């Protein structure tokens, strides 16, 4: 397969997985991130941004450590599940997350971002 075609397949798969993650993540959360962000809610932006960066770390690791796009897709999809499960577990343990994000508690949004980034980094390392 030509290198450019291989690149394009990986790029499109990665972008597609990131979009799918965004859609699923914003539906799993009990608040409307995009609306809150449009209203200037920094806590929602931090939380969503951390989740996207955490998942992107696993996509990057999958790209670097797999031999073909089928393996990449499988690892990245598995990492997506782990990242979403981490969010669900975290918010179950921190029961007031909906109220904290909706009230624009930036410290809480930062905490959720840090947890997502931490899980993403660990997840990415496990793929390698």
């Amino acid at each position: 397969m030509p290198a450019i075609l291989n690149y394009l397949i990986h790029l499109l798969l990665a972008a597609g997985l990131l979009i799918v993650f965004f859609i699923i993540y914003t539906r799993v959360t009990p608040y409307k991130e995009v609306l809150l962000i449009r209203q200037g809610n920094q806590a929602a932006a931090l939380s969503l941004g951390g989740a996207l960066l955490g998942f992107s770390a696993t996509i990057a690791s999958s790209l670097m450590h797999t031999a073909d796009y089928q393996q990449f897709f499988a690892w990245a999809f598995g990492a997506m599940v782990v990242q979403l499960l981490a969010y669900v577990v975290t918010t179950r343990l921190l029961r007031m997350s909906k109220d904290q994000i909706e009230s624009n508690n930036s410290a809480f949004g930062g905490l959720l971002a840090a947890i997502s980034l931490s899980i993403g980094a660990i997840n990415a390392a496990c793929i390698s």
Side-chain angles (χ1 to χ4, degrees), residues 30-31 95-105 108:
Y31 39 86
R95 297 179 189 167
M96 69 292 212
S97 63
K98 182 179 187 296
D99 297 333
Q100 295 297 317
I101 296 297
E102 288 177 341
S103 67
N104 198 16
N105 182 340
F108 195 85

Side-chain angles (χ1 to χ4, degrees), residues 43-88:
L46 288 169
S47 178
L48 179 58
L52 290 171
L53 288 171
F55 180 61
S56 293
T58 62
I59 287 178
S61 181
S62 297
L63 284 168
M64 292 188 312
H65 296 100
T66 55
D68 56 42
Y69 64 90
Q70 293 99 343
Q71 284 182 350
F72 159 68
F73 180 81
W75 280 109
F77 184 79
M80 180 188 310
V81 172
V82 169
Q83 196 77 21
L84 290 166
L85 284 173
Y87 170 80
V88 170

Side-chain angles (χ1 to χ4, degrees), residues 20-33 47-48 51 80-92 97-98:
V20 168
F21 177 79
F22 176 85
I23 291 168
I24 293 171
Y25 183 87
T26 55
R27 290 191 177 158
V28 167
T29 58
Y31 39 86
K32 299 183 186 290
E33 281 94 352
S47 178
L48 179 58
M80 180 188 310
V81 172
V82 169
Q83 196 77 21
L84 290 166
L85 284 173
Y87 170 80
V88 170
V89 169
T90 299
T91 55
R92 294 295 185 267
S97 63
K98 182 179 187 296

